[in-house]
Amino acid sequence: MADVNADWSADSNDAIHISLVTSSVGGTASIHTFNPKFTYSIFGDEESIFGYQGLKINLKYNACDMRPGLQITYNKKFKPVGDIEPTDLKAVLEPFLPKTAFEKSSVFESNISSIPSDWHPPGELFRTIEIGGETFEIWKGNLSDPFVQQTIKRIQILVPFFIEGGTLLDLDESEDDLGRWTVFFLYQKKQSTATFFEKSSSYVFTGFSTVYRYYMYTPTTPPQSPNGDKIAPEFTLPVDGVSFDSLPCRSRISQFMILPPFQNGGKGSIFYNAIFDYLYDDPYTREITVEDPNEAFDDLRDISDFARLRKDARFQQLKLNSSLKINPKGPAPTKLFDTKLYEEIRAQMKIAPRQFARVHEMYLLSLIPAIREASASSRGRGRNFQEVPATPK
């Protein structure tokens, strides 16, 4: 009988090890290994796995095509006592991984060793970039493409692992609905002479992003009914004979991820700007939005959009009108800046109203004169800023 007083619980964040591997002599070689950030959506709010001692869940990914291989090891397993049973790890993980992930290790190693050296990511090459002397490529595809869909199936467990509140895409939707998704993959391109890559693909998966196209109704002048009421047309998408790709849309960035080993090097902002460039050049995208961003992505987005807009001379004209006289007891002025130019720039840059307002506020704050640093010798105080005198009453 199992010792119920022993510690049979394991922290799921610590027990799971995610590795990017490549084919090597005698098996596989690990390039990067890291742990998930969140596991509550899989193992519960306590992020705990019951019934094992010395538990290790090794989720290996072939670094190029992201084929997964799952290996579970432990020192001891709890023997059921009444209704108390150890966590069925396979049953818990099956909804998040393709069936191939549960094959034997020998099958996994055989498959990744057969990847040709000239393998390339799914979709089409969109952009090549250099970061810190390293080469990265951005590939773009559509979720209706079987190869793109296969990659998403393989990596979808990473969404709840690293995006708080992240949910999986519904890959059982109709082809029309899947066709609304554009997927961007970020890959590091290694030199063929680099370690581990002499006989395997030189691509290393770095991150990905998904973008969904929502139809954006843009009314002109709706017809009027006999009683004078305006009537908006009614229809349901998809419309027979009309491709959704040819309709005006609001493109929403749904998921955005850079794997932990590749973070903190500017890759996220470069990846975001590349996606923005693509959507900006898309003649059917009217507005670029983001679905429920977290604080870290908000910061990345704000800084990137601010840097983009500051290059526009017209945006720099959106300063506060300093000639306005403000009545302390009256309403706030309505024309603090050129609102017509403001809306023209916002619409042309395809930035959502709330986001444009945030960036414009950042710009106005940047115009506040910097407070000169007072020297300790002149003030006789160890202060890092100039003390502003109180306003006389």
Side-chain angles (χ1 to χ4, degrees), residues 2 18 46 58 64 74 81 99 105 125 134 146 162 176 178 181 211 220 238 252 269 271 323 336 339 356 386 393:
I18 305 166
E46 295 183 357
N58 296 312
C64 60
Y74 48 84
V81 178
K99 293 181 180 180
S105 298
L125 178 62
E134 297 178 319
F162 295 104
D176 287 331
L178 291 175
W181 288 97
V211 179
T220 50
R252 177 175 294 179
S269 59
F271 191 33
S323 64
L336 291 173
T339 54
F356 193 83
Q386 182 179 1
K393 294 183 179 179

Coordinates of all heavy atoms in Angstrom, one line a residue, residues 2 18 46 58 64 74 81 99 105 125 134 146 162 176 178 181 211 220 238 252 269 271 323 336 339 356 386 393:
A2 N 0.5 2.2 -0.8 CA 1.3 3.5 -0.9 C 1.3 4.2 0.4 O 0.3 4.2 1.1 CB 0.8 4.3 -2.0
I18 N 10.5 21.6 -21.6 CA 10.3 21.7 -23.0 C 11.7 21.9 -23.7 O 12.5 22.8 -23.3 CB 9.4 23.0 -23.4 CG1 8.1 22.8 -22.6 CG2 9.2 23.1 -24.9 CD1 7.3 24.1 -22.6
E46 N -4.0 25.1 -8.9 CA -2.9 24.9 -8.0 C -1.6 24.5 -8.8 O -0.5 24.4 -8.2 CB -3.2 23.8 -7.0 CG -4.3 24.2 -6.0 CD -4.6 23.1 -4.9 OE1 -3.9 22.1 -5.0 OE2 -5.4 23.4 -4.1
N58 N 9.1 15.3 -20.1 CA 9.9 15.9 -21.2 C 9.2 16.0 -22.5 O 8.8 15.0 -23.1 CB 11.2 15.0 -21.4 CG 12.0 15.0 -20.1 OD1 12.3 16.0 -19.5 ND2 12.4 13.8 -19.7
C64 N 13.0 22.3 -36.1 CA 12.6 22.9 -37.3 C 11.1 22.8 -37.5 O 10.3 23.8 -37.5 CB 13.4 22.4 -38.5 SG 13.2 20.6 -38.8
Y74 N 9.4 8.8 -13.9 CA 9.2 9.0 -12.4 C 9.9 7.9 -11.7 O 10.2 6.8 -12.2 CB 7.7 9.1 -12.1 CG 6.9 8.0 -12.7 CD1 6.8 6.8 -12.0 CD2 6.2 8.1 -13.9 CE1 6.1 5.7 -12.5 CE2 5.5 7.1 -14.4 CZ 5.4 5.9 -13.7 OH 4.7 4.9 -14.2
V81 N -5.8 4.3 -3.8 CA -6.4 3.9 -2.5 C -7.9 4.4 -2.5 O -8.1 5.6 -2.4 CB -5.7 4.6 -1.3 CG1 -6.4 4.2 0.0 CG2 -4.2 4.1 -1.3
K99 N -1.5 13.1 -31.8 CA -1.3 11.7 -31.4 C 0.1 11.3 -31.6 O 0.7 10.5 -30.9 CB -2.2 10.8 -32.2 CG -3.7 11.0 -31.9 CD -4.5 10.0 -32.8 CE -6.0 10.2 -32.5 NZ -6.9 9.3 -33.3
S105 N 9.9 6.8 -28.3 CA 11.1 7.7 -28.5 C 11.8 7.4 -29.8 O 12.3 8.2 -30.5 CB 12.0 7.7 -27.3 OG 11.4 8.2 -26.2
L125 N 8.1 32.7 -47.6 CA 9.0 33.7 -47.0 C 8.6 35.1 -47.1 O 8.4 35.6 -48.2 CB 10.5 33.5 -47.5 CG 11.5 34.4 -46.9 CD1 11.7 34.2 -45.4 CD2 12.9 34.2 -47.7
E134 N 22.8 37.6 -36.2 CA 22.1 36.3 -36.5 C 21.0 36.6 -37.5 O 20.5 37.7 -37.6 CB 21.6 35.7 -35.2 CG 22.6 35.3 -34.2 CD 22.0 34.8 -32.9 OE1 21.0 35.3 -32.5 OE2 22.5 33.8 -32.4
P146 N -2.8 22.9 -45.2 CA -2.6 21.7 -44.3 C -1.3 21.7 -43.5 O -1.2 21.3 -42.4 CB -2.7 20.5 -45.3 CG -3.4 21.0 -46.4 CD -3.1 22.5 -46.5
F162 N 2.5 29.7 -22.1 CA 3.2 31.0 -22.1 C 2.3 32.2 -22.2 O 2.8 33.3 -22.1 CB 4.3 31.0 -23.1 CG 5.3 30.0 -22.9 CD1 5.4 28.8 -23.6 CD2 6.3 30.2 -21.9 CE1 6.4 27.8 -23.4 CE2 7.2 29.2 -21.6 CZ 7.3 28.0 -22.4
D176 N -13.7 28.1 -44.9 CA -13.9 29.5 -45.1 C -13.4 30.2 -43.8 O -12.8 31.3 -43.8 CB -15.4 29.9 -45.3 CG -15.8 29.5 -46.8 OD1 -14.9 29.6 -47.6 OD2 -17.0 29.2 -47.0
L178 N -11.3 29.0 -41.5 CA -9.9 28.8 -41.3 C -9.1 29.7 -42.2 O -8.0 30.2 -41.9 CB -9.5 27.4 -41.6 CG -10.0 26.3 -40.6 CD1 -9.6 24.9 -41.1 CD2 -9.4 26.5 -39.3
W181 N -7.7 33.1 -41.0 CA -6.5 33.2 -40.2 C -5.2 33.3 -41.0 O -5.0 32.5 -41.9 CB -6.4 31.9 -39.3 CG -7.4 31.9 -38.2 CD1 -8.6 31.2 -38.2 CD2 -7.4 32.5 -36.9 NE1 -9.3 31.3 -37.0 CE2 -8.5 32.1 -36.2 CE3 -6.4 33.3 -36.3 CZ2 -8.8 32.5 -34.9 CZ3 -6.6 33.7 -35.0 CH2 -7.8 33.3 -34.3
V211 N -3.3 36.0 -36.8 CA -4.1 37.2 -37.1 C -5.4 36.7 -37.7 O -5.4 36.0 -38.7 CB -3.4 38.2 -38.1 CG1 -4.2 39.4 -38.3 CG2 -2.0 38.6 -37.5
T220 N -21.6 53.9 -46.2 CA -21.4 55.2 -46.9 C -22.6 56.0 -46.6 O -22.7 56.7 -45.6 CB -21.3 55.0 -48.4 OG1 -22.3 54.1 -48.9 CG2 -20.0 54.3 -48.7
P238 N -20.4 33.6 -45.0 CA -19.9 34.1 -46.3 C -21.0 34.3 -47.3 O -22.0 33.7 -47.3 CB -19.0 33.0 -46.8 CG -19.5 31.8 -46.1 CD -20.1 32.2 -44.8
R252 N -7.1 41.4 -36.5 CA -6.8 41.4 -35.1 C -5.7 40.4 -34.8 O -5.9 39.2 -35.1 CB -8.1 41.0 -34.3 CG -7.9 40.8 -32.8 CD -9.2 40.6 -32.1 NE -10.1 41.8 -32.2 CZ -11.3 41.8 -31.6 NH1 -11.7 40.7 -31.0 NH2 -12.0 42.9 -31.7
S269 N 9.7 43.0 -30.9 CA 9.3 44.3 -31.5 C 9.6 44.2 -33.0 O 8.7 44.7 -33.8 CB 10.1 45.5 -30.9 OG 11.5 45.3 -31.1
F271 N 9.5 41.5 -34.8 CA 8.4 40.6 -35.3 C 7.1 41.3 -35.4 O 6.4 41.2 -36.4 CB 8.3 39.4 -34.4 CG 7.5 38.2 -34.9 CD1 7.4 37.9 -36.3 CD2 6.8 37.4 -34.0 CE1 6.6 36.9 -36.7 CE2 6.0 36.4 -34.5 CZ 5.9 36.1 -35.8
S323 N -2.2 78.5 -27.3 CA -2.9 79.8 -27.3 C -4.3 79.8 -26.6 O -4.8 80.8 -26.4 CB -3.0 80.3 -28.7 OG -3.8 79.5 -29.5
L336 N -8.3 71.1 -28.4 CA -6.9 71.2 -27.9 C -5.9 71.0 -28.9 O -4.7 71.4 -28.8 CB -6.8 70.2 -26.7 CG -7.6 70.4 -25.5 CD1 -7.5 69.3 -24.5 CD2 -7.1 71.7 -24.8
T339 N -8.1 68.1 -34.5 CA -8.8 66.8 -34.4 C -9.0 66.2 -35.8 O -9.1 65.0 -36.0 CB -10.2 67.0 -33.7 OG1 -10.9 68.0 -34.4 CG2 -10.0 67.3 -32.3
F356 N -4.5 54.6 -30.7 CA -3.9 55.8 -31.2 C -4.0 56.9 -30.1 O -3.0 57.7 -30.0 CB -4.7 56.2 -32.4 CG -4.1 57.3 -33.2 CD1 -3.1 57.0 -34.2 CD2 -4.4 58.7 -33.0 CE1 -2.5 58.1 -34.9 CE2 -3.8 59.7 -33.8 CZ -2.8 59.4 -34.7
Q386 N 15.1 68.7 -9.8 CA 15.0 70.1 -9.3 C 13.6 70.2 -8.6 O 12.6 69.7 -9.0 CB 15.0 71.0 -10.5 CG 14.8 72.5 -10.1 CD 14.9 73.4 -11.3 OE1 15.0 72.9 -12.4 NE2 14.8 74.7 -11.0
K393 N -0.6 80.7 -3.0 CA -2.1 80.7 -2.8 C -2.6 82.1 -2.8 O -2.0 83.1 -2.5 CB -2.4 80.1 -1.4 CG -2.0 78.6 -1.4 CD -2.4 78.0 0.0 CE -2.1 76.5 0.0 NZ -2.5 75.9 1.3

